[in-house]
Amino acid sequence: MTRPHPARSAPPDKLNSSALLSRATLIAACVAICVAQIGVPLASPLIGEIQRDLGVSAAALAWIPAAFILPTAILELNYGVLGDLFGRKRLLVVGGLLITAGCLVAATSGSLPQLLAGQAVAGLGAAAIFPSSLAVIVAGTPDPATRARALSYWAISLAFGSLISPLISGFTAEHTDWGWAFVPLAALGLVTAVVSARWMVDSRQPAGRGLDWPGQITIAVSLLALLYAVIEGANDGYSEPHIVLAFMIALAAFVAFLVVERGSRAPMLRLELFLNPSFAAAAAIGLLALFGFIGTAYLLTLKLEAVHHLSPLRASLPLALVQVVPVLLTPVLPMLLQRVHPRMLLVCGLLSLATGQIWMALLPADSTALPPMVGPILLLGIGFITMFSALTAVAVGAAGIRHAGMASAVTSLVRESGQALGPAVASAVALGTASSALSGKLDSSGLPAQALGAAKAVNDEGGALAAANADLGELSRTVVPLAREALETGLDLGVYVCAAASLVGAVIAVLALGRGGVMDEAAERLAEGTNATSVTPASTDVPASSGTAAINPSTSP
């Protein structure tokens, strides 16, 4: 693809044509990312309804959002390769159609396996959209100032998808069966395919790219084994042989992935990218930040819908309000990206997230009304959009246009991995702690031996969440309050874990993106409006024999 000339040197007629073309592509990319993001939290407000309807265990609930997110995490890198080889426009069209097909399967499901299958197919579509929509924007905006504006619109579109998603599922489930909540997304998948086919200007970067099946298989095995160990370990116990084996498989497969990628002639992930400190730090921060943010949202949904039995729409309102803040910040976000140092935006965003999470955990146990949540919601919303916008700019800016597809795919991979692990780990901590706490409370409750045995049997089988929702007759008067107290203890601890992840991300931002490095140079060029992508940051220079030419976008891979 021919690199467009800087706007200041283009003739007026060429400039106007290019601007219109860029606007159409940006709109198509923003529509696509909005629709794909809707699918991420869509099932969360339905958790309680699904549990009561299908009778699934508390541990199995974590697989419902994971089934959508996991394919996106597993396939991000190869989808980035496919976009570079065959064009990102095609992937956006195919992604929209897969979302439609998967949502129709989920909407008609009467069992957990069918629901998970539908979520997985829709997740395949989202996996195609996430890196492709980002890469097509980066590839079409070599000017840093223009890219900053485009990335801010992309991030806001993603936030808007997160805003309307819980409202769609909550409103639909409250007035019809929960399966109908997937129908609007099925229709929007078709809209994505049509808009992308009609308006998208294609881009690709096939040089040096090729499908890497050994790498794809090893990263898939690693992520699947890790998620299985985390989710099932919460129910079976992390010392069980099959759980320990799953963790070992996850580690071994990840090591094999690194070995395969290092020796591959056409890797889907160039490990040299991580020698760039800004790119490596952005990847780690993305994993931690999305882990904490999505984990907090999932635990809040459990508290409101599964524990306190609020309606799906009422339980979805806090999640939606968190995303109102990013939408309201639309006018100022591009200016912030150009005028404020990326490190400062990242640190402030992550600290805002951590403060909101801690505040949420400190709220009274019976606090389910919206007014007490306004403060934490405001901080979470500001923290999310500030962190996410700066993080995206850091990641793709550090890699450069030549590696936009790969950098976008890696950015999406770590983001989706964080979104998959957040609910799994946070709920494992929360529910495991709650079950242990309930066991202790039951021992000191003074219940007769027979009643105590029945209550403990429910706790051992389904955990504190099952005990809080079980119909035990007169025994429920004693067990349900104890179970809810235990759940509050566990949920608060889970949110504190999410806050810790945000704080660790802030520390990484301070240490790895310090002054005098890559991000200072990038920030200066962003403010000046010059083309930073033609410059190789001095802080990443290493001998050519190390194989890091890929970091310099002006050199061949």
Side-chain angles (χ1 to χ4, degrees), residues 87 127 134 251 321 513 536:
L134 178 58
L251 178 60
L321 290 177
L513 304 180
T536 304

Side-chain angles (χ1 to χ4, degrees), residues 85-294:
L85 289 175
F86 303 112
R88 291 137 189 170
K89 176 178 180 176
R90 292 181 181 179
L91 285 189
L92 290 171
V93 173
V94 171
L97 295 177
L98 284 173
I99 287 177
T100 297
C103 286
L104 292 178
V105 172
T108 57
S109 60
S111 64
L112 182 63
Q114 183 179 344
L115 174 59
L116 297 182
Q119 283 279 83
V121 173
L124 290 175
I129 289 174
F130 280 125
S132 301
S133 63
L134 178 58
V136 78
I137 289 176
V138 176
T141 53
D143 176 69
T146 304
R147 180 186 298 177
R149 288 192 296 272
L151 288 177
S152 68
Y153 296 140
W154 182 88
I156 291 165
S157 300
L158 185 146
F160 184 72
S162 296
L163 163 64
I164 65 174
S165 176
L167 296 179
I168 290 173
S169 55
F171 178 84
T172 307
E174 188 157 321
H175 293 85
T176 61
D177 184 78
W178 60 263
W180 284 94
F182 295 93
V183 174
L185 184 55
L188 290 173
L190 285 178
V191 172
T192 297
V194 172
V195 170
S196 297
R198 175 68 179 84
W199 285 353
M200 179 67 64
V201 176
D202 205 1
S203 67
R204 65 187 71 191
Q205 187 65 50
R209 300 289 265 155
L211 291 176
D212 178 15
W213 290 113
Q216 179 63 81
I217 292 171
T218 50
I219 193 64
V221 171
S222 179
L223 288 174
L224 278 171
L226 177 60
L227 201 62
Y228 173 85
V230 170
I231 293 177
E232 297 300 324
N235 188 54
D236 299 344
Y238 291 104
S239 61
E240 290 296 312
H242 66 286
I243 300 299
V244 174
L245 178 61
F247 276 120
M248 293 175 64
I249 291 174
L251 178 60
F254 182 70
V255 172
F257 169 74
L258 297 179
V259 172
V260 165
E261 294 305 285
R262 186 172 181 82
S264 176
R265 297 183 62 181
M268 60 182 181
L269 171 61
R270 290 187 178 276
L271 300 181
E272 302 95 308
L273 285 174
F274 290 94
L275 295 179
N276 183 320
S278 292
F279 188 84
I285 293 169
L287 180 70
L288 291 166
L290 271 297
F291 170 98
F293 182 75
I294 300 299

